[in-house]
Every structure is written in structure tokens, then in C-alpha cells.
Amino acid sequence: MASVTSLTASVHQHLADALASALPEADGVDPLLRRSDRADFQANGILALAKKAKANPRELATQVVSEVVTGDVIKDIEVSGPGFLNITVTDKAITENLAARAADEDGRLGVPYTENPGTTVIDYAQPNVAKEMHVGHLRSAVIGDSVVQLLEFTGETVVRRHHIGDWGTQFGMLIQYLDEHPHELDHKSSEVSGEEAMSNLDRLYKAARRKFDADEEFKTRARRRVVDLQAGDPHTLAMWQKFVDESKIYFFSVFEKLDMEIRDPDIVGESGYNDMLAETCRLLEESGVAVRSEGALCVFFDDIKGPDGNPVPLIVQKSDGGYGYAATDLSAIRDRVFNLKANSLIYVVDARQSLHFKMVFETARKAGWLNDDVKAYQLAFGTVLGKDGKPFKTREGETVRLVDLLDEAIDRATAVVREKDTQGQLSDEEIAERGAQVGIGAVKYADLSTSANRDYKFDLDQMVSLNGDTSVYLQYAYARIQSILRKAGDVRPAAHPELELHAAERALGLHVDAFAETVAEAAREYAPHKMAAYLYQLASLYTSFYDKCPVLKAETPEQVENRLFLCDVTARTLHQGMALLGIRTPERL
């Protein structure tokens, strides 16, 4: 089905036409339309236009008003203050617009696809092989997954990439120990849980570390293993692959708990670019982008200097011939631009790595791999803090395990669901399922409702609260609507454009209509927090509507159907918006 023109766009077009009629040189000028608490919309563009035309702004505004066509869309327009325009739309336009969105057979609520979509590679959810995932891994995964959903919904071709840490000198110690104790990663059964896989890796790592620190001969053998690994020795690679495979069992179990789809082909770790490293260095050196300095291959920048005033280089290849993160990241850019044909590269990475990525991107631009048509962007995120405002740690000062954090969120949410089920309508299995959906949703929403570049406090008590800006509040709003629709029985939702709307109905309808514009803005700016803010306001407006406008006990059958229709289209908008944040909306709570 074709996309639905929003009321904002319709009013904008009416004003643009009136501006062009009143002042021909204003053709194409933006009337600067926005939502207002004084009317449905306010236009502020006439002030700047009058100044440019050396006209009286209020007189020009009055002239524009006389040219505006009222009737089907615009009910009333008046001049306010020095030349603002306050616009009220008709009740009929609100209801008809929502009816058109509800009739979208694709279930997109009339949201258009973006013009000229491209290909975006998004790098997110980057755990390390043979290491436990901790709270620091949460934001990259949750933010990245939501941006993927937003971009795909708008029609962008999205290539997911999970740049896991699966290479480096630390594997020499692990591989050597496993070679000498070949059954350490054997499984007692065919079904292995993520916890068991992580336990195996943790046990092996600790044993290998003890031997490495205590046995000089083992340390020497382990260091030789690094050379064998980098040289591609088949036996050493086979040992290394065991660590990768065991880690993936664990990774997939954590991401499944997070209710995220992580596909194996999308996992291309540091090792995936090994064959490109030498050529990347050659291309940079031959082009003069990188130069040799004290034996290392470096890129220098005019605007990046250390505290001592000396240039801080990006080291692409060390003086001993080894490759660092820069060589891998630059090779990944080459692969994503030239093989995957990406127009945009997004890196959902901790803000503390901003200098590294600034240098990597600038190097890629100097080399011609990035340009005006192919851009890279670091979607930098802040730190997860505890209630005390300090980086989130256990009482013992250890980094919080991600699995423990998620399990506690699910336990807290399950208790809330059980407490709210006062009539015993849910089975134990349903309570457990809803508890997981509410708990994981609470964790995700707390993260996504904060602008990515800001730190936020991890407070489970607040996250699972039924009040305030929480996912639980939104989920209960959705479940409440489903309950009303079930109670309606044979009475079906139906739009009645001829009916006059209550102020709470108008406010809700106008906000539902803004969904498409919010999706476009959140996708364009890689800003899930804007979608979260929209949904919280939607749930709040629905609560106001619910309090002020009886649905099943409305005055006439037509009003009952129309209010059921408003309920239904609100629920569908909540459901789709929450899905774009990666959050479930249970039918019953």
C-alpha cells in the first residue's frame, strides 16, 4: 500500500501554497511548522521571510492567512504575536488520516520507505572469545540492534557485522595449554548450555594463566604458538577454532536471553581480515598516507598531538612487524566499502575509543577509501553507572557479569507480573514468559531511552516500575488496550470521521499521526532514544484518553466503535514502535 501523507505534511503544503500566493518570491520557503500547545500547529517562518522582504511580519501573516484554503484539513488559522500562525486541523482530517494508516495491509501504518536507500554496514555487539560478557557489552548490542531495526524498517539494506575479539597474542597461552590438555573442552553431552561453555573456558583460562606465570618453559612454548597461529599452522588453527566455537555457544545463549538475533555469518572477527593486513599496509605506504617512523608504519595528523605537543600517530604496523587494531580496522573498512558496497559504515563503540576511530576514519579518507559518497560514523555510547553514579561494579569491585544482570532483571519483572495477576489468569509458564519479556524490555528501554552518548544509571527498581518513563509502563498500556478490545466482544473498531472528537482524542490522534516522522528522524540520526520518547508520550496520551473518554460505555454505538478504533491504532503503533527498540509487547499482563 502507498504511504500515508501525514497531517503535518498536509498542513505544511497548504501553508507553502498560501505563502507562494501571498508573496511569489516565497515559493519553496519553509514555513517552519511545528506542534504547539497553543493550537495543533504553529508556523514561525513568516518572521524571517518578512525581514528579508522588508515587510511588516504581522501584515504579511494576515495576508498569508487570507490565502489559506480551509475545510477538509485546516479548520482554523489565526495570527498570533508578531506574526506567528496558529493552525487547528479538523476532527475529520485526524480520523480519516488514522483510518488510512490502519488500512495499510503491510502493517506499516502508512510509514513510507526512505527515498534512495543505500547499504549500511553496522558494527555492533563485539564480545571477546574466551572471555565473559559483562555490563560493558550491553550498550553496543542493544543500541546496535535497535538501529538495525530502524534502518531496515525504512528500507535501507543493512549488513550486520560483529567484530569479535578472536585474535592476538593471548591465544598462544590458551592454545598451548589445550594442546597439552586436549580434553579440557570436551563435552559430556551433545547439548551444552552457554553457562557450561563459559565455565569450561573460564576454568581453562585460569589454569593456563597459572602455568604461564609459573613455568618459564611453558611461557616460551606459548609464545611460539603465537607465531604458529599467525603463520596459519593447521594444527594451531584447529586448536584456536575450538575456542571460537566454544565461545559462540556462550555468545548465542546471552544474545538469546537478550532477545536478539545474532547470525553466525554476520560474525566476522579480527581474524577475518588477516589476509588483507599486509596489502592494507602496502597501499598506505605506497600512497604516502603512512610513513616509517622508528621502524613502525605510522600515520600522522596535524590536529592530533599529545600533552607534550608532539604528534600522536596511528600505528598501523609495529616495528617488530606485528599488526595492531588499526590495521585490522582499516582492512575492515576496505572490505566493507569495496566488497560489501556500503555507502555508510556505523560503529557502535564505547566513547572512550573515539580518538582511535577518528584517526582510523581520517586515514581511510586520506587513502580515498572514504569520501563524500561513502561515510563512516562512530555511534559512541557512554558508560553504564550504578545507583551511586560510579561505573557499575559488584560489591567486591568486580565488573558485573551480563548474564547475572539479565537474570536479576527477569526475576524482578517476574515478581511484578505475578503480583499484578491478582485474579490468577496466567499460568506459571505464562508468568515466566511475560517476566522475561518485561525484564529484558526494561533493561533495553532504560538504555535506549537515554541518548547514546550519555552515561546512565542502572537502577532495576526504577526499570521495572509501572510508573514513569519505563518499558513496563508502555507494555501495560498495550496490554490494557488488548483487554478492552477483548471485552468489546462482537463490537469491532471502526472509524467515524463525522464524529466530533474530545480534546484527549484529538491529542492522541495527532500524536499517532506523527509516528512516521519519528521513525524517519530516529533512523536518519541513529537515535533510538527519540523513538523511546515518542512511545512514552504516546502511552501517556493514551492514559489521559482512557481516563477522560469512556470506550465501551461511550454515549452512542458509533462513538464506541470510533474509540475502539483509536485504541486499536494506538496499540498497533505501540507494538511496532517497541519492536523497533527490540522490545516485546505481551497481549496480557
Side-chain angles (χ1 to χ4, degrees), residues 210-237:
R210 283 195 299 270
K211 192 167 181 64
F212 186 86
D213 291 340
D215 187 335
E216 285 298 322
E217 291 184 0
F218 175 78
K219 185 181 293 187
T220 300
R221 296 196 298 275
R223 286 172 173 163
R224 287 200 199 106
R225 277 292 182 181
V226 177
V227 177
D228 293 339
L229 179 63
Q230 293 174 342
D233 173 63
H235 177 69
T236 302
L237 283 174

PDB file of all heavy atoms in Angstrom, residues 210-237:
ATOM      1  N   ARG A 210      47.846 -19.725  35.289  1.00  0.00           N
ATOM      2  CA  ARG A 210      48.703 -20.170  36.399  1.00  0.00           C
ATOM      3  C   ARG A 210      49.980 -20.816  35.872  1.00  0.00           C
ATOM      4  O   ARG A 210      51.081 -20.541  36.366  1.00  0.00           O
ATOM      5  CB  ARG A 210      47.938 -21.168  37.279  1.00  0.00           C
ATOM      6  CG  ARG A 210      46.917 -20.545  38.213  1.00  0.00           C
ATOM      7  CD  ARG A 210      46.477 -21.521  39.294  1.00  0.00           C
ATOM      8  NE  ARG A 210      45.837 -22.706  38.725  1.00  0.00           N
ATOM      9  CZ  ARG A 210      44.530 -22.820  38.482  1.00  0.00           C
ATOM     10  NH1 ARG A 210      43.718 -21.791  38.766  1.00  0.00           N
ATOM     11  NH2 ARG A 210      44.021 -23.925  37.984  1.00  0.00           N
ATOM     12  N   LYS A 211      49.834 -21.659  34.862  1.00  0.00           N
ATOM     13  CA  LYS A 211      51.007 -22.346  34.302  1.00  0.00           C
ATOM     14  C   LYS A 211      51.923 -21.356  33.594  1.00  0.00           C
ATOM     15  O   LYS A 211      53.154 -21.439  33.683  1.00  0.00           O
ATOM     16  CB  LYS A 211      50.566 -23.454  33.354  1.00  0.00           C
ATOM     17  CG  LYS A 211      51.679 -24.411  32.936  1.00  0.00           C
ATOM     18  CD  LYS A 211      51.131 -25.647  32.258  1.00  0.00           C
ATOM     19  CE  LYS A 211      52.242 -26.623  31.857  1.00  0.00           C
ATOM     20  NZ  LYS A 211      52.971 -27.156  33.037  1.00  0.00           N
ATOM     21  N   PHE A 212      51.313 -20.400  32.878  1.00  0.00           N
ATOM     22  CA  PHE A 212      52.094 -19.393  32.144  1.00  0.00           C
ATOM     23  C   PHE A 212      52.935 -18.567  33.116  1.00  0.00           C
ATOM     24  O   PHE A 212      54.101 -18.256  32.849  1.00  0.00           O
ATOM     25  CB  PHE A 212      51.128 -18.487  31.362  1.00  0.00           C
ATOM     26  CG  PHE A 212      51.813 -17.499  30.449  1.00  0.00           C
ATOM     27  CD1 PHE A 212      52.179 -17.856  29.161  1.00  0.00           C
ATOM     28  CD2 PHE A 212      52.068 -16.201  30.882  1.00  0.00           C
ATOM     29  CE1 PHE A 212      52.803 -16.947  28.324  1.00  0.00           C
ATOM     30  CE2 PHE A 212      52.691 -15.279  30.055  1.00  0.00           C
ATOM     31  CZ  PHE A 212      53.055 -15.659  28.755  1.00  0.00           C
ATOM     32  N   ASP A 213      52.355 -18.206  34.266  1.00  0.00           N
ATOM     33  CA  ASP A 213      53.061 -17.369  35.237  1.00  0.00           C
ATOM     34  C   ASP A 213      54.120 -18.145  36.026  1.00  0.00           C
ATOM     35  O   ASP A 213      55.105 -17.562  36.487  1.00  0.00           O
ATOM     36  CB  ASP A 213      52.060 -16.756  36.233  1.00  0.00           C
ATOM     37  CG  ASP A 213      51.157 -15.717  35.569  1.00  0.00           C
ATOM     38  OD1 ASP A 213      51.537 -15.203  34.500  1.00  0.00           O
ATOM     39  OD2 ASP A 213      50.065 -15.440  36.120  1.00  0.00           O
ATOM     40  N   ALA A 214      53.934 -19.472  36.140  1.00  0.00           N
ATOM     41  CA  ALA A 214      54.827 -20.265  37.000  1.00  0.00           C
ATOM     42  C   ALA A 214      55.876 -21.059  36.237  1.00  0.00           C
ATOM     43  O   ALA A 214      56.884 -21.475  36.816  1.00  0.00           O
ATOM     44  CB  ALA A 214      54.001 -21.223  37.860  1.00  0.00           C
ATOM     45  N   ASP A 215      55.680 -21.278  34.959  1.00  0.00           N
ATOM     46  CA  ASP A 215      56.529 -22.197  34.195  1.00  0.00           C
ATOM     47  C   ASP A 215      57.142 -21.460  33.006  1.00  0.00           C
ATOM     48  O   ASP A 215      56.473 -21.181  32.011  1.00  0.00           O
ATOM     49  CB  ASP A 215      55.680 -23.385  33.728  1.00  0.00           C
ATOM     50  CG  ASP A 215      56.500 -24.491  33.075  1.00  0.00           C
ATOM     51  OD1 ASP A 215      57.597 -24.190  32.555  1.00  0.00           O
ATOM     52  OD2 ASP A 215      56.025 -25.640  33.045  1.00  0.00           O
ATOM     53  N   GLU A 216      58.436 -21.163  33.096  1.00  0.00           N
ATOM     54  CA  GLU A 216      59.102 -20.410  32.039  1.00  0.00           C
ATOM     55  C   GLU A 216      59.135 -21.186  30.714  1.00  0.00           C
ATOM     56  O   GLU A 216      59.029 -20.592  29.639  1.00  0.00           O
ATOM     57  CB  GLU A 216      60.534 -20.050  32.463  1.00  0.00           C
ATOM     58  CG  GLU A 216      60.600 -18.920  33.483  1.00  0.00           C
ATOM     59  CD  GLU A 216      60.039 -17.604  32.952  1.00  0.00           C
ATOM     60  OE1 GLU A 216      60.259 -17.306  31.757  1.00  0.00           O
ATOM     61  OE2 GLU A 216      59.375 -16.890  33.725  1.00  0.00           O
ATOM     62  N   GLU A 217      59.302 -22.494  30.802  1.00  0.00           N
ATOM     63  CA  GLU A 217      59.343 -23.291  29.566  1.00  0.00           C
ATOM     64  C   GLU A 217      57.972 -23.273  28.875  1.00  0.00           C
ATOM     65  O   GLU A 217      57.888 -23.197  27.646  1.00  0.00           O
ATOM     66  CB  GLU A 217      59.765 -24.725  29.886  1.00  0.00           C
ATOM     67  CG  GLU A 217      61.226 -24.844  30.325  1.00  0.00           C
ATOM     68  CD  GLU A 217      61.632 -26.291  30.526  1.00  0.00           C
ATOM     69  OE1 GLU A 217      60.788 -27.198  30.327  1.00  0.00           O
ATOM     70  OE2 GLU A 217      62.803 -26.517  30.901  1.00  0.00           O
ATOM     71  N   PHE A 218      56.910 -23.360  29.674  1.00  0.00           N
ATOM     72  CA  PHE A 218      55.565 -23.271  29.087  1.00  0.00           C
ATOM     73  C   PHE A 218      55.362 -21.890  28.462  1.00  0.00           C
ATOM     74  O   PHE A 218      54.775 -21.773  27.375  1.00  0.00           O
ATOM     75  CB  PHE A 218      54.495 -23.517  30.160  1.00  0.00           C
ATOM     76  CG  PHE A 218      53.093 -23.320  29.662  1.00  0.00           C
ATOM     77  CD1 PHE A 218      52.457 -24.299  28.896  1.00  0.00           C
ATOM     78  CD2 PHE A 218      52.394 -22.135  29.916  1.00  0.00           C
ATOM     79  CE1 PHE A 218      51.172 -24.116  28.412  1.00  0.00           C
ATOM     80  CE2 PHE A 218      51.108 -21.944  29.437  1.00  0.00           C
ATOM     81  CZ  PHE A 218      50.496 -22.940  28.685  1.00  0.00           C
ATOM     82  N   LYS A 219      55.843 -20.854  29.124  1.00  0.00           N
ATOM     83  CA  LYS A 219      55.706 -19.498  28.593  1.00  0.00           C
ATOM     84  C   LYS A 219      56.401 -19.386  27.241  1.00  0.00           C
ATOM     85  O   LYS A 219      55.872 -18.781  26.307  1.00  0.00           O
ATOM     86  CB  LYS A 219      56.315 -18.494  29.586  1.00  0.00           C
ATOM     87  CG  LYS A 219      56.128 -17.038  29.185  1.00  0.00           C
ATOM     88  CD  LYS A 219      56.761 -16.091  30.196  1.00  0.00           C
ATOM     89  CE  LYS A 219      56.037 -16.135  31.534  1.00  0.00           C
ATOM     90  NZ  LYS A 219      56.545 -15.082  32.462  1.00  0.00           N
ATOM     91  N   THR A 220      57.562 -20.015  27.120  1.00  0.00           N
ATOM     92  CA  THR A 220      58.291 -19.993  25.836  1.00  0.00           C
ATOM     93  C   THR A 220      57.502 -20.732  24.760  1.00  0.00           C
ATOM     94  O   THR A 220      57.390 -20.259  23.610  1.00  0.00           O
ATOM     95  CB  THR A 220      59.677 -20.636  26.005  1.00  0.00           C
ATOM     96  OG1 THR A 220      60.421 -19.899  26.982  1.00  0.00           O
ATOM     97  CG2 THR A 220      60.438 -20.639  24.688  1.00  0.00           C
ATOM     98  N   ARG A 221      56.965 -21.903  25.117  1.00  0.00           N
ATOM     99  CA  ARG A 221      56.162 -22.666  24.148  1.00  0.00           C
ATOM    100  C   ARG A 221      54.911 -21.889  23.725  1.00  0.00           C
ATOM    101  O   ARG A 221      54.510 -21.903  22.556  1.00  0.00           O
ATOM    102  CB  ARG A 221      55.759 -24.020  24.745  1.00  0.00           C
ATOM    103  CG  ARG A 221      56.920 -24.954  25.037  1.00  0.00           C
ATOM    104  CD  ARG A 221      56.468 -26.396  25.259  1.00  0.00           C
ATOM    105  NE  ARG A 221      55.571 -26.549  26.405  1.00  0.00           N
ATOM    106  CZ  ARG A 221      55.959 -26.711  27.666  1.00  0.00           C
ATOM    107  NH1 ARG A 221      57.266 -26.718  27.968  1.00  0.00           N
ATOM    108  NH2 ARG A 221      55.076 -26.874  28.645  1.00  0.00           N
ATOM    109  N   ALA A 222      54.311 -21.198  24.695  1.00  0.00           N
ATOM    110  CA  ALA A 222      53.109 -20.429  24.398  1.00  0.00           C
ATOM    111  C   ALA A 222      53.408 -19.297  23.425  1.00  0.00           C
ATOM    112  O   ALA A 222      52.607 -19.012  22.518  1.00  0.00           O
ATOM    113  CB  ALA A 222      52.521 -19.870  25.696  1.00  0.00           C
ATOM    114  N   ARG A 223      54.551 -18.668  23.591  1.00  0.00           N
ATOM    115  CA  ARG A 223      54.916 -17.565  22.689  1.00  0.00           C
ATOM    116  C   ARG A 223      55.207 -18.073  21.279  1.00  0.00           C
ATOM    117  O   ARG A 223      54.941 -17.394  20.298  1.00  0.00           O
ATOM    118  CB  ARG A 223      56.102 -16.795  23.266  1.00  0.00           C
ATOM    119  CG  ARG A 223      55.693 -15.925  24.458  1.00  0.00           C
ATOM    120  CD  ARG A 223      56.867 -15.307  25.175  1.00  0.00           C
ATOM    121  NE  ARG A 223      56.399 -14.363  26.201  1.00  0.00           N
ATOM    122  CZ  ARG A 223      57.140 -13.915  27.199  1.00  0.00           C
ATOM    123  NH1 ARG A 223      58.414 -14.335  27.319  1.00  0.00           N
ATOM    124  NH2 ARG A 223      56.649 -13.065  28.075  1.00  0.00           N
ATOM    125  N   ARG A 224      55.759 -19.275  21.181  1.00  0.00           N
ATOM    126  CA  ARG A 224      55.968 -19.866  19.848  1.00  0.00           C
ATOM    127  C   ARG A 224      54.632 -20.127  19.177  1.00  0.00           C
ATOM    128  O   ARG A 224      54.514 -20.064  17.958  1.00  0.00           O
ATOM    129  CB  ARG A 224      56.753 -21.178  19.976  1.00  0.00           C
ATOM    130  CG  ARG A 224      58.227 -21.008  20.316  1.00  0.00           C
ATOM    131  CD  ARG A 224      59.005 -22.263  19.949  1.00  0.00           C
ATOM    132  NE  ARG A 224      60.286 -22.311  20.655  1.00  0.00           N
ATOM    133  CZ  ARG A 224      60.567 -23.107  21.679  1.00  0.00           C
ATOM    134  NH1 ARG A 224      59.646 -23.946  22.140  1.00  0.00           N
ATOM    135  NH2 ARG A 224      61.759 -23.086  22.242  1.00  0.00           N
ATOM    136  N   ARG A 225      53.620 -20.471  19.999  1.00  0.00           N
ATOM    137  CA  ARG A 225      52.282 -20.744  19.463  1.00  0.00           C
ATOM    138  C   ARG A 225      51.693 -19.511  18.770  1.00  0.00           C
ATOM    139  O   ARG A 225      50.937 -19.627  17.807  1.00  0.00           O
ATOM    140  CB  ARG A 225      51.334 -21.175  20.585  1.00  0.00           C
ATOM    141  CG  ARG A 225      51.446 -22.622  20.932  1.00  0.00           C
ATOM    142  CD  ARG A 225      50.936 -23.495  19.807  1.00  0.00           C
ATOM    143  NE  ARG A 225      50.996 -24.898  20.179  1.00  0.00           N
ATOM    144  CZ  ARG A 225      50.634 -25.895  19.404  1.00  0.00           C
ATOM    145  NH1 ARG A 225      50.188 -25.638  18.186  1.00  0.00           N
ATOM    146  NH2 ARG A 225      50.725 -27.129  19.825  1.00  0.00           N
ATOM    147  N   VAL A 226      52.018 -18.337  19.290  1.00  0.00           N
ATOM    148  CA  VAL A 226      51.530 -17.106  18.661  1.00  0.00           C
ATOM    149  C   VAL A 226      52.078 -17.012  17.245  1.00  0.00           C
ATOM    150  O   VAL A 226      51.353 -16.686  16.296  1.00  0.00           O
ATOM    151  CB  VAL A 226      51.950 -15.873  19.484  1.00  0.00           C
ATOM    152  CG1 VAL A 226      51.491 -14.597  18.778  1.00  0.00           C
ATOM    153  CG2 VAL A 226      51.357 -15.933  20.883  1.00  0.00           C
ATOM    154  N   VAL A 227      53.354 -17.341  17.095  1.00  0.00           N
ATOM    155  CA  VAL A 227      53.974 -17.314  15.767  1.00  0.00           C
ATOM    156  C   VAL A 227      53.308 -18.342  14.856  1.00  0.00           C
ATOM    157  O   VAL A 227      53.008 -18.068  13.689  1.00  0.00           O
ATOM    158  CB  VAL A 227      55.491 -17.597  15.876  1.00  0.00           C
ATOM    159  CG1 VAL A 227      56.134 -17.641  14.486  1.00  0.00           C
ATOM    160  CG2 VAL A 227      56.161 -16.552  16.761  1.00  0.00           C
ATOM    161  N   ASP A 228      53.070 -19.545  15.397  1.00  0.00           N
ATOM    162  CA  ASP A 228      52.413 -20.594  14.600  1.00  0.00           C
ATOM    163  C   ASP A 228      51.008 -20.170  14.180  1.00  0.00           C
ATOM    164  O   ASP A 228      50.575 -20.431  13.052  1.00  0.00           O
ATOM    165  CB  ASP A 228      52.326 -21.894  15.417  1.00  0.00           C
ATOM    166  CG  ASP A 228      53.684 -22.506  15.694  1.00  0.00           C
ATOM    167  OD1 ASP A 228      54.639 -22.172  14.955  1.00  0.00           O
ATOM    168  OD2 ASP A 228      53.794 -23.306  16.647  1.00  0.00           O
ATOM    169  N   LEU A 229      50.293 -19.515  15.107  1.00  0.00           N
ATOM    170  CA  LEU A 229      48.932 -19.062  14.807  1.00  0.00           C
ATOM    171  C   LEU A 229      48.944 -18.038  13.683  1.00  0.00           C
ATOM    172  O   LEU A 229      48.175 -18.132  12.718  1.00  0.00           O
ATOM    173  CB  LEU A 229      48.300 -18.457  16.071  1.00  0.00           C
ATOM    174  CG  LEU A 229      46.879 -17.911  15.942  1.00  0.00           C
ATOM    175  CD1 LEU A 229      45.903 -19.019  15.596  1.00  0.00           C
ATOM    176  CD2 LEU A 229      46.454 -17.202  17.234  1.00  0.00           C
ATOM    177  N   GLN A 230      49.831 -17.064  13.791  1.00  0.00           N
ATOM    178  CA  GLN A 230      49.893 -16.006  12.775  1.00  0.00           C
ATOM    179  C   GLN A 230      50.394 -16.537  11.435  1.00  0.00           C
ATOM    180  O   GLN A 230      50.046 -15.999  10.382  1.00  0.00           O
ATOM    181  CB  GLN A 230      50.793 -14.869  13.267  1.00  0.00           C
ATOM    182  CG  GLN A 230      50.188 -14.121  14.463  1.00  0.00           C
ATOM    183  CD  GLN A 230      51.128 -13.093  15.058  1.00  0.00           C
ATOM    184  OE1 GLN A 230      52.344 -13.126  14.829  1.00  0.00           O
ATOM    185  NE2 GLN A 230      50.576 -12.175  15.854  1.00  0.00           N
ATOM    186  N   ALA A 231      51.162 -17.628  11.481  1.00  0.00           N
ATOM    187  CA  ALA A 231      51.668 -18.227  10.242  1.00  0.00           C
ATOM    188  C   ALA A 231      50.652 -19.166   9.599  1.00  0.00           C
ATOM    189  O   ALA A 231      50.869 -19.672   8.493  1.00  0.00           O
ATOM    190  CB  ALA A 231      52.965 -18.980  10.522  1.00  0.00           C
ATOM    191  N   GLY A 232      49.538 -19.428  10.308  1.00  0.00           N
ATOM    192  CA  GLY A 232      48.491 -20.273   9.730  1.00  0.00           C
ATOM    193  C   GLY A 232      48.749 -21.756   9.860  1.00  0.00           C
ATOM    194  O   GLY A 232      48.243 -22.549   9.045  1.00  0.00           O
ATOM    195  N   ASP A 233      49.515 -22.179  10.871  1.00  0.00           N
ATOM    196  CA  ASP A 233      49.762 -23.603  11.085  1.00  0.00           C
ATOM    197  C   ASP A 233      48.423 -24.329  11.285  1.00  0.00           C
ATOM    198  O   ASP A 233      47.638 -23.953  12.171  1.00  0.00           O
ATOM    199  CB  ASP A 233      50.634 -23.786  12.326  1.00  0.00           C
ATOM    200  CG  ASP A 233      50.783 -25.252  12.713  1.00  0.00           C
ATOM    201  OD1 ASP A 233      51.336 -26.016  11.923  1.00  0.00           O
ATOM    202  OD2 ASP A 233      50.300 -25.601  13.820  1.00  0.00           O
ATOM    203  N   PRO A 234      48.125 -25.374  10.496  1.00  0.00           N
ATOM    204  CA  PRO A 234      46.803 -26.026  10.542  1.00  0.00           C
ATOM    205  C   PRO A 234      46.420 -26.553  11.926  1.00  0.00           C
ATOM    206  O   PRO A 234      45.283 -26.376  12.360  1.00  0.00           O
ATOM    207  CB  PRO A 234      46.945 -27.167   9.525  1.00  0.00           C
ATOM    208  CG  PRO A 234      47.994 -26.695   8.577  1.00  0.00           C
ATOM    209  CD  PRO A 234      48.961 -25.904   9.405  1.00  0.00           C
ATOM    210  N   HIS A 235      47.347 -27.216  12.608  1.00  0.00           N
ATOM    211  CA  HIS A 235      47.024 -27.769  13.920  1.00  0.00           C
ATOM    212  C   HIS A 235      46.717 -26.659  14.920  1.00  0.00           C
ATOM    213  O   HIS A 235      45.758 -26.752  15.705  1.00  0.00           O
ATOM    214  CB  HIS A 235      48.176 -28.635  14.437  1.00  0.00           C
ATOM    215  CG  HIS A 235      47.952 -29.183  15.815  1.00  0.00           C
ATOM    216  ND1 HIS A 235      46.996 -30.144  16.091  1.00  0.00           N
ATOM    217  CD2 HIS A 235      48.541 -28.872  17.005  1.00  0.00           C
ATOM    218  CE1 HIS A 235      47.008 -30.416  17.388  1.00  0.00           C
ATOM    219  NE2 HIS A 235      47.939 -29.661  17.960  1.00  0.00           N
ATOM    220  N   THR A 236      47.529 -25.616  14.893  1.00  0.00           N
ATOM    221  CA  THR A 236      47.309 -24.485  15.801  1.00  0.00           C
ATOM    222  C   THR A 236      45.979 -23.806  15.511  1.00  0.00           C
ATOM    223  O   THR A 236      45.238 -23.438  16.430  1.00  0.00           O
ATOM    224  CB  THR A 236      48.469 -23.477  15.673  1.00  0.00           C
ATOM    225  OG1 THR A 236      49.706 -24.144  15.957  1.00  0.00           O
ATOM    226  CG2 THR A 236      48.294 -22.310  16.630  1.00  0.00           C
ATOM    227  N   LEU A 237      45.654 -23.647  14.231  1.00  0.00           N
ATOM    228  CA  LEU A 237      44.374 -23.051  13.852  1.00  0.00           C
ATOM    229  C   LEU A 237      43.203 -23.910  14.323  1.00  0.00           C
ATOM    230  O   LEU A 237      42.162 -23.391  14.729  1.00  0.00           O
ATOM    231  CB  LEU A 237      44.297 -22.856  12.335  1.00  0.00           C
ATOM    232  CG  LEU A 237      45.066 -21.665  11.759  1.00  0.00           C
ATOM    233  CD1 LEU A 237      45.018 -21.693  10.238  1.00  0.00           C
ATOM    234  CD2 LEU A 237      44.484 -20.341  12.278  1.00  0.00           C
TER     235      LEU A 237
END
